[in-house]
Structures are given as structure tokens and as C-alpha cells.
Amino acid sequence: MNIFRFLGDMTHLISILILLLKIYATKSCSGISLKTQELYALVFLARYLDLFTEFISVYNSIMKVVFIVSSLAIVWCMRGHRVVRRSYDKELDTFRHYFLIAASFVLALLVHEKFTFTEIFWAFSIYLEAVAILPQLVLLQRSGNVDNLTGQYVFFLGAYRAFYILNWIYRYFTETHFSRWISCVSGLVQTALYADFFYYYFISWKNNAKLQLPA
């Protein structure tokens, strides 16, 4: 644990809390990609298969449970809540996310650190998380206007990965046998996907204007 990983975890948690606030306070999921949320739920389920078999710390176990439960709760709200699901932008959320799932799994079978069940699914979760935001970004570009809470949700989600890059750099220089290169490369790819969004987010913040993305 170091300050960069802690800040990454906290910004990730803040992004989830913002999304839950948007859904429960407004009873709306407009502007949110269900497909991205389903991908994140799959990411956490695949990554934390060791929840009941490997104990690292109380903090680590709590965060695993929080991410799994919150991601499943968001998917349930968007699919099952009788009021929230009415606001889902189904006609805009058409990204074929199953291609991302298939490609990530094949890549995990080919490129991994150890050929074991948990390591294959760990690598799968890393690759899938790197591209899980794509349906959300495509939906926002199609809709053009981005409401305040949705914009903050995506911003903090991107900030979480940026802090994790600093975490990996720190660990590379302070740990003797740091070898999570799959996480590093995937994290760089994931952060790069946010570059366009960050630019327009900064412009809107600088001009004190509503966030708008080019169609």
C-alpha cells in the first residue's frame, strides 16, 4: 500500500458513490451505459475470485466486497428497478460489448503471468477493465450533452487509473521484484482512452460551462 494506490482506490470509490447518488437521487440512469456497468461487474467478479481463499488485509477484503456489490447493484437498478430502467438510453447504448469480452478472454489465454485458473481470470479482468469504458464514452459522444453527475463520474473513474499509474511507477522504483507489467500496459491504454474526455472536461471547467462532447 502507498499513497498513490490509496488515492486511486478513493477516487474509484468516489466515482461509484457519484453514480449511485445520481441513480438513487434522480431515479434516472440517463447518460449511463448499462453495457459498461455490466463489463465492470464482470471485471470485479473475475478479478476477485480469491475473495474467500486468499486474505491480504481487512482493507483489501472490504474494498473487494464493495466493488463487487456496488457494481451488481448498479446493474440491477438499470435492469430491474421499475422507475430507473425507464430512463435507460437503450437506443444510444448499442456498443457490441461482447466483442470486448471475447477479445479480452482470448488475450488472457495467450498473454498471462501464470497459467492458472485465478491468474487467467485476473489477466482477463485487467484487459477487460482497460476497454470497459468504451461503451460509456461512445454513448456520451452520441448524446452530446453530459449532465454534471455523469461527467464527474467519468472524470473520477479516469482519475483512479491515473493514480494507479503513479502507484505502479512508485512500486517499480521501490520494490525489488515488481512484475505486474500487464497491469501497467493495460492501465496506460485505459488512461489514454480518457484523454479526449479529460480535454473537454477541462475546457468546460475552465469556461464554467456545461460539458459537451463532439458527436
Side-chain angles (χ1 to χ4, degrees):
M1 176 60 70
N2 58 70
I3 186 61
F4 301 115
R5 178 175 178 178
F6 178 74
L7 290 174
D9 287 344
M10 291 303 103
T11 51
H12 192 184
L13 187 59
I14 289 171
S15 73
I16 293 174
L17 292 175
I18 289 174
L19 182 53
L20 289 171
L21 173 65
K22 170 186 170 64
I23 292 175
Y24 282 100
T26 66
K27 294 296 187 293
S28 170
C29 61
S30 177
I32 301 299
S33 169
L34 172 62
K35 295 184 177 182
T36 283
Q37 299 309 314
E38 289 175 337
L39 291 178
Y40 277 126
L42 186 56
V43 164
F44 297 132
L45 288 171
R47 182 173 303 170
Y48 301 140
L49 290 172
D50 63 349
L51 179 61
F52 299 107
T53 60
E54 183 178 346
F55 179 78
I56 298 175
S57 68
V58 173
Y59 170 85
N60 183 270
S61 297
I62 289 175
M63 294 303 286
K64 287 178 180 180
V65 172
V66 167
F67 289 138
I68 291 173
V69 172
S70 60
S71 62
L72 291 176
I74 292 168
V75 171
W76 177 85
C77 282
M78 295 184 69
R79 280 191 171 275
H81 194 287
R82 60 186 182 85
V83 177
V84 174
R85 67 182 182 184
R86 296 174 186 170
S87 59
Y88 170 50
D89 302 316
K90 187 176 181 179
E91 67 281 359
L92 298 178
D93 194 20
T94 58
F95 194 100
R96 298 180 180 179
H97 63 324
Y98 44 83
F99 285 129
L100 300 178
I101 297 173
S104 298
F105 189 72
V106 171
L107 187 58
L109 290 174
L110 297 174
V111 183
H112 46 263
E113 295 184 2
K114 294 180 182 178
F115 192 71
T116 64
F117 182 81
T118 54
E119 284 295 320
I120 292 296
F121 275 91
W122 176 84
F124 165 69
S125 75
I126 295 296
Y127 296 138
L128 186 59
E129 185 180 18
V131 293
I133 196 62
L134 280 175
Q136 178 65 65
L137 294 177
V138 169
L139 187 153
L140 292 180
Q141 285 190 318
R142 288 176 177 174
S143 62
N145 292 324
V146 183
D147 68 76
N148 187 44
L149 287 176
T150 301
Q152 290 184 19
Y153 160 69
V154 178
F155 172 79
F156 278 103
L157 202 57
Y160 137 67
R161 297 314 294 175
F163 277 121
Y164 256 70
I165 289 177
L166 295 176
N167 161 62
W168 294 321
I169 294 174
Y170 175 84
R171 292 180 64 185
Y172 177 79
F173 286 106
T174 59
E175 295 181 14
T176 307
H177 301 293
F178 178 69
S179 61
R180 289 296 196 181
W181 62 271
I182 290 178
S183 295
C184 298
V185 174
S186 299
L188 289 172
V189 170
Q190 184 176 358
T191 305
L193 293 177
Y194 286 91
D196 189 57
F197 175 86
F198 281 149
Y199 171 76
Y200 287 102
Y201 186 93
F202 174 75
I203 293 298
S204 69
W205 172 80
K206 181 180 178 181
N207 297 329
N208 194 26
K210 183 178 179 62
L211 177 60
Q212 291 184 318
L213 299 180

